[in-house]
Amino acid sequence: MPSDPPPRCSACPVRATAMCVGLKDDELAALHHIGRRRRIVGGQIICWAGEPSPICANLVCGVLKVTRAQADGRVQIVGLLYPGDFVGSLFVARAADTITALSDADLCVYPRPALEAVLADHPAARRLMLRRTMATLAEARRWMPMLARGRADARVAALLLDMARRSGCRDREAFCLPLSRGAMAEALGLAIETVSRHMTLFQDTGLIALSGLRGVRLLDPPRLAAVAG
């Protein structure tokens, strides 16, 4: 008889979107056996590019940024990771990118060698994992065109649309921003005053409605998309 899914897995808020989606109970049990939860604070480095890469993880809550050093010494943000995304790389000894928490975050962490062994024993789980990691990579690639926008208002608008989409927000539905104004500024390479000014402008022109520190509603997504370009 297959084992029941571990209680922690059954209650996981990203069970339906993380790498665990579609896994059978015995496969979940194998992951649960090697996994542990880890809380990290905003600003903490999870892994450095070029350093040994001993872990992989599911991001349960929070937002992480992925950065890469360029040949001229500049550090480029190459992606954001949201809840449900896979963190790290399988079958590589060293991390390709630096991953930093933009907000307090909660991860389900797996030692990379142990995770690779579990996947070797469960071919179906390996296929699902490959599909999920490719989806995470595709999401990260969406970030590059966002930063390529020259105007600050276009960057802020594009990030708002992206956060709404990744939050599962329905059309004109209110949601809680996963990033503070400061974290948004850091992610976009802007000053916090610039981000706040454009958020206020978007509210004054009827594009969004703000409530409290993090609440937002996209009142006119098509117009906001036009600003984003």
Side-chain angles (χ1 to χ4, degrees):
M1 294 289 293
S3 57
D4 293 331
R8 187 180 74 192
C9 296
S10 298
C12 179
V14 296
R15 169 76 187 277
T17 57
M19 69 174 189
C20 308
V21 63
L23 295 185
K24 298 178 180 178
D25 290 344
D26 60 334
E27 295 166 337
L28 277 176
L31 284 179
H32 179 79
H33 180 69
I34 64 171
R36 60 183 177 85
R37 290 294 277 271
R38 177 182 172 189
R39 291 284 299 174
I40 58 175
V41 298
Q44 183 175 343
I45 303 292
I46 296 174
C47 65
W48 289 94
E51 294 295 316
S53 177
I55 64 166
C56 294
N58 276 333
L59 180 57
V60 178
C61 72
V63 181
L64 312 179
K65 68 173 180 177
V66 184
T67 58
R68 184 174 301 164
Q70 305 298 310
D72 60 4
R74 292 181 300 111
V75 176
Q76 174 73 59
I77 296 178
V78 295
L80 294 182
L81 301 178
Y82 290 88
D85 283 341
F86 185 73
V87 183
S89 300
L90 289 165
F91 310 111
V92 295
R94 295 183 179 276
D97 303 307
T98 297
I99 301 177
T100 310
L102 278 174
S103 65
D104 292 350
D106 187 6
L107 299 103
C108 194
V109 177
Y110 308 98
R112 183 178 55 79
L115 178 57
E116 291 171 356
V118 168
L119 296 178
D121 291 337
H122 297 86
R126 186 167 65 248
R127 289 192 293 272
L128 287 170
M129 169 68 75
L130 178 59
R131 197 173 301 138
R132 190 67 197 92
T133 54
M134 292 301 292
T136 296
L137 179 60
E139 287 290 352
R141 284 174 173 162
R142 294 174 61 93
W143 182 250
M144 300 306 293
M146 190 184 305
L147 279 187
R149 293 167 170 85
R151 302 189 332 271
D153 62 341
R155 293 189 187 190
V156 176
L159 181 57
L160 286 171
L161 290 165
D162 189 63
M163 288 191 291
R165 181 181 62 85
R166 294 302 305 273
S167 298
C169 177
R170 297 178 181 176
D171 189 34
R172 294 174 175 81
E173 183 180 52
F175 69 102
C176 182
L177 291 172
L179 296 176
S180 67
R181 300 286 194 277
M184 289 173 64
E186 182 182 355
L188 293 172
L190 300 172
I192 186 173
E193 295 82 7
T194 302
V195 171
S196 295
R197 182 171 67 252
H198 286 299
M199 294 281 283
T200 300
L201 178 62
F202 293 161
Q203 178 169 243
D204 292 344
T205 53
L207 296 180
I208 65 174
L210 301 173
S211 60
L213 293 176
R214 297 285 186 92
V216 65
R217 183 193 303 271
L218 306 188
L219 299 177
D220 196 336
R223 284 177 58 207
L224 194 63
V227 173

